[in-house]
Amino acid sequence: MGREVTLIEAIRQGIWEEMKRDETVFLIGEDIGQYGGAFKLTEGFIEEFGSDRVIDTPISESAIVGAACGAALMGMKPVAEFQFIDFISCGFDMLTNYAAKSRYRGCGSISAVFRGPCGAGVRSGPFHSLNAESFFLNTAGLKMVEPSTPYDAKGLIKAAIRDPDPVLFFEHKKLYRLPRIKQEIPDEDYIVPIGKARVAREGKDISIISFGAQVLNALDAAEILEKEDGLSIEVIDLRTLAPLDKQAILETVRKTNKVIILHEASITGGIGGEISAMIAEEGFEWLDGPIIRIGAIDTPVPFAPQLEDYHLPSISEIVEACRKLAMY
């Protein structure tokens, strides 16, 4: 085993190792060279790999996505960074109308990774706190992942770089350097397969299905419920958002018969609705109570700390939802 690392260091290691392994892998984005990236994830890369493989760009996300797509068609493997995932909207047209469809039009697949920090809870205000997964959930041809542990982060970024299709890689900024989730990861090469969820906590009474930073809230709520109510809560970490691991979702529903779907994005139009539909269509007979969805309030993320806390799902909200569901 290797040393304990943070989530951001795990991603950094994964990219570094892939650039060492495959000379067609290169980085492109704003301030990723000498500055080392907005969160210092690419610090030291330009000194190691040179400016031909660590390319600073103008402030134009649409240009970054377009250049990455073109390079991928020519056989390169770009890893494109958005300083904040909020501004992926500037490259939305290229991602949805070109990258996602290129393979199906017979033009060749776009083997590229589009990565960046997402999420709220760190007082970044409405323009730097987005969770963008639902924007792309309806776009066939794109894969999406969001890890919650360093082990998964490294394994998934390596899998994403090696994948023949375009992968959106969301990194919750609240987890980047969180001491709580520091983890010892292997020195040897490994990947975490895209499309496979994991059981973050075994349980038998209620299932909480989540991903990213909300997995920690689910685990904290599960601890409280076990101590105070004697409830055994199972927590499923989706890891991959497209494609969803249908088998893992249905297995946990069949096991506990009660399910809560937890995500940080606004509840309306969120990924929880798709998971709910999947369960209703294919696992309805296993349910002993209503499917409960927990997400953010349908407003932009406030900047004021008290309002941001109120806006986001809370541990107490999860605990109360589980207690309500346990009564069925």
Side-chain angles (χ1 to χ4, degrees):
M1 295 292 286
R3 62 187 177 90
E4 272 197 350
V5 299
T6 59
L7 187 131
I8 196 170
E9 177 60 24
I11 298 169
R12 173 187 166 85
Q13 282 186 19
I15 297 172
W16 186 285
E17 290 175 14
E18 290 304 295
M19 291 183 74
K20 284 287 191 180
R21 187 187 67 85
D22 184 351
E23 64 180 12
T24 67
V25 179
F26 74 97
L27 309 184
I28 182 170
E30 300 161 7
D31 296 326
I32 63 170
Q34 293 295 335
Y35 188 68
F39 291 87
K40 301 302 181 184
L41 189 147
T42 56
E43 191 170 31
F45 275 70
I46 196 166
E47 289 80 8
E48 177 69 21
F49 298 103
S51 58
D52 287 343
R53 295 183 68 193
V54 182
I55 302 172
D56 274 323
T57 70
I59 303 174
S60 175
E61 287 78 13
S62 57
I64 293 168
V65 176
C69 288
L73 283 178
M74 298 303 294
M76 301 296 287
K77 292 192 173 181
V79 179
E81 176 178 306
F82 298 95
Q83 279 195 352
F84 290 87
I85 212 67
D86 308 59
F87 303 108
I88 199 171
S89 58
C90 299
F92 187 84
D93 176 70
M94 188 67 68
L95 285 167
T96 57
N97 281 325
Y98 188 76
K101 298 173 182 175
S102 180
R103 171 198 284 272
Y104 300 92
R105 295 175 64 197
C107 300
S109 61
I110 303 294
S111 182
V113 178
F114 303 92
R115 51 156 296 270
C118 68
V122 293
R123 315 316 187 201
S124 295
F127 298 107
H128 297 84
S129 302
L130 186 67
N131 292 282
E133 64 273 0
S134 65
F135 295 3
F136 299 99
L137 194 63
N138 195 239
T139 301
L142 294 176
K143 296 177 180 177
M144 291 191 290
V145 298
E146 186 172 332
S148 66
T149 68
Y151 179 90
D152 288 348
K154 182 176 180 179
L156 283 166
I157 193 66
K158 291 169 77 74
I161 292 170
R162 299 179 193 184
D163 200 276
D165 292 310
V167 180
L168 306 183
F169 196 90
F170 301 138
E171 307 156 9
H172 201 294
K173 64 179 78 71
K174 190 174 183 178
L175 301 180
Y176 265 160
R177 293 179 172 88
L178 191 66
R180 167 182 174 178
I181 65 167
K182 286 184 72 174
Q183 195 174 27
E184 195 172 284
I185 57 178
D187 288 326
E188 61 270 16
D189 182 49
Y190 74 94
I191 66 165
V192 172
I194 292 174
K196 295 294 183 182
R198 72 179 180 99
V199 180
R201 190 183 197 273
E202 294 275 1
K204 60 182 178 60
D205 294 325
I206 297 172
S207 299
I208 301 177
I209 300 171
S210 192
F211 58 92
Q214 288 301 320
V215 170
L216 299 187
N217 278 352
L219 292 171
D220 288 344
E223 288 291 327
I224 292 169
L225 288 159
E226 183 177 50
K227 291 176 182 177
E228 297 184 3
D229 302 82
L231 291 172
S232 175
I233 308 298
E234 180 149 291
V235 178
I236 302 297
D237 180 358
L238 291 173
R239 300 196 291 196
T240 299
L241 311 180
L244 285 166
D245 189 345
K246 182 187 294 187
Q247 180 179 349
I249 292 168
L250 294 178
E251 280 180 357
T252 194
V253 174
R254 188 170 189 173
K255 178 181 180 181
T256 69
N257 311 123
K258 296 175 181 179
V259 62
I260 290 173
I261 302 164
L262 169 65
H263 58 74
E264 189 176 297
S266 297
I267 196 76
T268 301
I271 193 171
E274 180 62 28
I275 299 169
S276 297
M278 180 189 298
I279 295 169
E281 289 170 354
E282 302 192 37
F284 182 79
E285 67 270 24
W286 301 322
L287 292 172
D288 286 342
I291 299 170
I292 296 179
R293 290 184 296 149
I294 301 176
I297 295 170
D298 289 341
T299 67
V301 178
F303 180 76
Q306 300 93 329
L307 290 178
E308 184 177 29
D309 291 343
Y310 182 76
H311 168 84
L312 294 171
S314 66
I315 295 170
S316 61
E317 184 179 1
I318 301 165
V319 168
E320 289 307 309
C322 286
R323 287 171 176 162
K324 175 183 176 182
L325 194 55
M327 296 174 65
Y328 281 88

